[in-house]
Amino acid sequence: MSSSDSSSPTFSPGLPLDKTREHEMTRRILWKLDIRVVPVLCLLYVSSFLDRASISNARIAGLERDTHLVGNQYNTVLAVFYVSYVLVNLPSNLILKKIGANRWLPFLVTAWGAVTALTGLVNNFSGLLAARFFLGLCEGGLLSGLMLYLSTMYKRHELQKRAGLFISMSSLSGAFGGLLASAIVKMDGVGGLAGWRWILILEGIATALLSIVAVFCLPRGIASAKFLTDEERQFALTRLREADIARIDAPSRGSTEKIDVTADDLEKKSPATSTAPVYEIYDDHEQFEWREVVRGICDPQTLMMSVSGLGMLCSAYSFAYFLPSIVTGLGYSGEEAQLRTSPPYIPAAVLTVLAAFLCDRLRWRAPVMMMVLPIAMLGYIISIVATDVLDAQNNTQRYAAVFLIQAGIWPCVPCMLSLLPNNTSGHYKRATAIAFQAGAANSSGFIATFLYTADQAPHYIRGHSITLAFVVLAWIAAACNVVYCRWENNARASGRREGNIRAYQELWDSGKTRAPIGDRHPDFRFTL
């Protein structure tokens, strides 16, 4: 419905709509965002997961032989990716607002697509090391950037559905990657290149071409989304601001005056006059402060969910890189092994989407992780117990355990990714918390790449046992976060956090901050 349609009243900020009209506008805006933005983000994340994990398919197609890797050199090649991947998360998120996600994210896509394609031309260990380092440098800012970008378009409890979609797509990419690799490897000898080289070259080229689609499809933000009408843009901005308002309250909570100002306007006010009204500072007006970066890193939830993420991604990454090798240990080889890496990802993808919708409906994050992670624990226990490789029944059990592991890990990833955007307010604190969590969680790559070494084949008992311990750690950290959020919400409900306003007012009056009070406000409630 166009904003010029005279059959219904247009939206004006400050004038409430009737419930029917508000529901219609919300539904229409979400639908447009879901069909214009989310599919592109899904493709970007799928391409990143394919490109980083394609080396596992290339490995069983001859990469180790042709590049003369020995001992644990393959594991070292995997690990070096995470050196640059972890380091680049925070700076990438801090500059994303200035450059714009619609330009920064496609730039990253183009860069890592080129690196992936060039990896198909390397001939030795040092060449692979360099290629994987630069791949991590280019990919590092994507996941945290996607979550930050989504948090500027969707309300807190609309977020996980969308995160669940692109995470489920990455899970499916594991299935698709095996099928794609089994098809591409048949090009062995074409142009004088081995089949594993074509896997990397073609996937890299496809990724670089995808960036062109992203440039033309992604808006900088809600305010510049051309697929929304003027009325829809204004309504979308208003609903986001009202849902996640970051207020600067005067010492008197009874004041009802509100003034929409920019950070520049606030800088002009003296401390004496800053205590009179109640201000609203929106994300698009916030200016950078190092104090907000420190707050984002030191937040207890950032630390707990980073530990939980590290435990989960140890499992996710170790299987992304070593599932073909584990399947080979069950007695399969070549194309048959490639094809059998695909099915375990399919139920995991379905459960990821279902869990995401349930989480947004219940407004739960960590409690769902606590319910689902034991499925993965059971899978690891079965893998450890069923160790007789000569027994076909035990091999069937070990293969079934792979399904349980994938189904227990992947649905938890969107929960982890959505919790910090839900529970942090203020752009730069949120950007920092998301980036720190992504970096810390992805540092699991250093561990995951050495969990399944060649000397453990075909049972990989040590790898399974260590990964099981990390999944248990992830469960404990998630449980601690639930306890913390309940405790803090109860304290705020009983009035024990009113001092946050006075402490914040002192910072404001002394000129130490011009950032919003955000999640420090006593009215802010944390999502479990």
Side-chain angles (χ1 to χ4, degrees):
M1 184 179 297
S2 171
S3 59
S4 61
D5 188 348
S6 60
S7 63
S8 59
T10 59
F11 170 75
S12 297
L15 296 179
L17 294 174
D18 64 79
K19 291 297 182 182
T20 302
R21 174 76 168 146
E22 181 179 354
H23 177 75
E24 177 192 348
M25 288 278 285
T26 299
R27 182 187 57 80
R28 196 164 67 217
I29 290 167
L30 292 179
W31 171 249
K32 288 187 176 182
L33 289 172
D34 287 345
I35 64 173
R36 297 293 294 271
V37 174
V38 174
V40 178
L41 300 185
C42 287
L43 289 174
L44 296 185
Y45 191 66
V46 165
S47 66
S48 74
F49 200 83
L50 273 176
D51 288 351
R52 90 180 66 160
S54 59
I55 193 172
S56 64
N57 297 109
R59 181 191 189 189
I60 63 175
L63 177 143
E64 280 187 298
R65 179 193 65 246
D66 293 350
T67 55
H68 315 293
L69 300 186
V70 295
N72 288 334
Q73 285 185 334
Y74 173 76
N75 304 76
T76 304
V77 166
L78 297 183
V80 75
F81 169 88
Y82 293 98
V83 175
S84 51
Y85 188 97
V86 169
L87 293 176
V88 79
N89 268 278
L90 182 54
S92 177
N93 254 21
L94 294 180
I95 68 174
L96 182 141
K97 180 180 178 182
K98 184 175 181 64
I99 297 178
N102 61 325
R103 295 292 178 265
W104 182 242
L105 296 180
F107 168 75
L108 296 179
V109 176
T110 303
W112 90 60
V115 172
T116 300
L118 292 173
T119 305
L121 303 179
V122 300
N123 296 303
N124 51 42
F125 174 59
S126 59
L128 276 176
L129 279 180
R132 294 294 292 185
F133 178 86
F134 283 105
L135 184 64
L137 190 68
C138 298
E139 280 196 29
L142 180 74
L143 181 56
S144 56
L146 290 180
M147 292 306 301
L148 182 59
Y149 184 49
L150 282 174
S151 71
T152 65
M153 295 189 173
Y154 293 95
K155 292 166 66 174
R156 295 167 67 195
H157 299 111
E158 297 167 348
L159 188 60
Q160 189 169 334
K161 294 188 190 75
R162 283 77 195 180
L165 287 173
F166 70 74
I167 293 299
S168 69
M169 292 295 290
S170 69
S171 177
L172 281 177
S173 75
F176 179 67
L179 296 173
L180 184 63
S182 65
I184 296 177
V185 78
K186 295 178 181 179
M187 295 179 63
D188 187 48
V190 175
L193 298 176
W196 69 265
R197 296 183 184 276
W198 281 115
I199 292 174
L200 298 170
I201 292 170
L202 294 182
E203 289 186 7
I205 292 173
T207 294
L209 293 175
L210 178 62
S211 65
I212 300 174
V213 177
V215 167
F216 288 101
C217 292
L218 295 179
R220 185 182 181 94
I222 286 287
S224 60
K226 295 181 180 179
F227 52 82
L228 298 177
T229 66
D230 291 341
E231 179 190 17
E232 289 168 347
R233 280 194 293 270
Q234 185 60 62
F235 179 80
L237 284 171
T238 300
R239 68 187 290 271
L240 287 173
R241 290 172 173 177
E242 289 177 347
D244 191 25
I245 194 148
R247 294 176 292 183
I248 302 171
D249 283 30
S252 171
R253 294 289 302 278
S255 174
T256 59
E257 180 185 4
K258 295 182 179 180
I259 304 175
D260 180 10
V261 292
T262 66
D264 289 337
D265 296 330
L266 293 171
E267 289 289 349
K268 298 173 184 177
K269 293 184 177 292
S270 66
T273 61
S274 67
T275 59
V278 181
Y279 292 106
E280 298 175 358
I281 301 181
Y282 305 123
D283 280 1
D284 50 342
H285 296 155
E286 185 181 346
Q287 293 184 345
F288 177 77
E289 291 181 10
W290 281 110
R291 178 183 294 272
E292 293 300 289
V293 174
V294 174
R295 285 209 316 121
I297 293 174
C298 296
D299 190 301
Q301 293 191 71
T302 301
L303 302 177
M304 286 184 284
M305 294 313 297
S306 294
V307 171
S308 187
L310 183 145
M312 287 189 294
L313 292 189
C314 266
S315 174
Y317 284 154
S318 62
F319 265 64
Y321 289 126
F322 295 104
L323 183 56
S325 300
I326 292 171
V327 170
T328 300
L330 297 177
Y332 305 103
S333 61
E335 184 178 346
E336 186 179 10
Q338 298 275 18
L339 292 174
R340 285 185 176 269
T341 63
S342 300
Y345 288 98
I346 297 172
V350 174
L351 286 175
T352 299
V353 175
L354 293 177
F357 277 79
L358 178 65
C359 286
D360 271 352
R361 184 175 183 83
L362 298 177
R363 301 192 174 190
W364 284 357
R365 303 290 182 256
V368 173
M369 293 167 59
M370 295 171 63
M371 289 186 284
V372 176
L373 282 175
I375 299 174
M377 297 178 197
L378 177 61
Y380 281 110
I381 292 171
I382 294 174
S383 296
I384 294 168
V385 173
T387 58
D388 187 355
V389 75
L390 298 177
D391 188 330
Q393 182 179 357
N394 280 358
N395 281 345
T396 300
Q397 292 173 355
R398 291 167 62 202
Y399 188 57
V402 172
F403 284 78
L404 294 177
I405 292 169
Q406 298 290 70
I409 293 297
W410 283 102
C412 297
V413 176
C415 298
M416 173 196 70
L417 294 175
S418 301
L419 195 142
L420 288 181
N422 284 177
N423 288 351
T424 52
S425 182
H427 177 84
Y428 286 107
K429 183 188 178 183
R430 183 186 300 124
T432 300
I434 293 172
F436 183 88
Q437 180 198 44
N442 279 285
S443 65
S444 61
F446 296 112
I447 304 167
T449 51
F450 290 98
L451 288 179
Y452 294 87
T453 51
D455 60 296
Q456 301 177 51
H459 304 305
Y460 297 102
I461 295 176
R462 185 175 72 235
H464 291 321
S465 300
I466 296 174
T467 312
L468 172 61
F470 274 102
V471 174
V472 173
L473 177 65
W475 189 95
I476 293 172
C480 290
N481 198 79
V482 171
V483 172
Y484 172 80
C485 288
R486 282 190 178 277
W487 172 69
E488 186 64 26
N489 284 345
N490 289 336
R492 294 175 181 220
S494 61
R496 287 181 282 138
R497 293 295 180 264
E498 295 298 316
N500 288 0
I501 294 176
R502 292 189 296 273
Y504 175 78
Q505 190 71 56
E506 291 176 4
L507 291 173
W508 179 271
D509 291 345
S510 63
K512 293 181 179 179
T513 189
R514 285 298 182 264
I517 190 171
D519 50 64
R520 292 169 287 187
H521 197 285
D523 292 341
F524 191 96
R525 295 293 184 271
F526 293 123
T527 298
L528 295 184

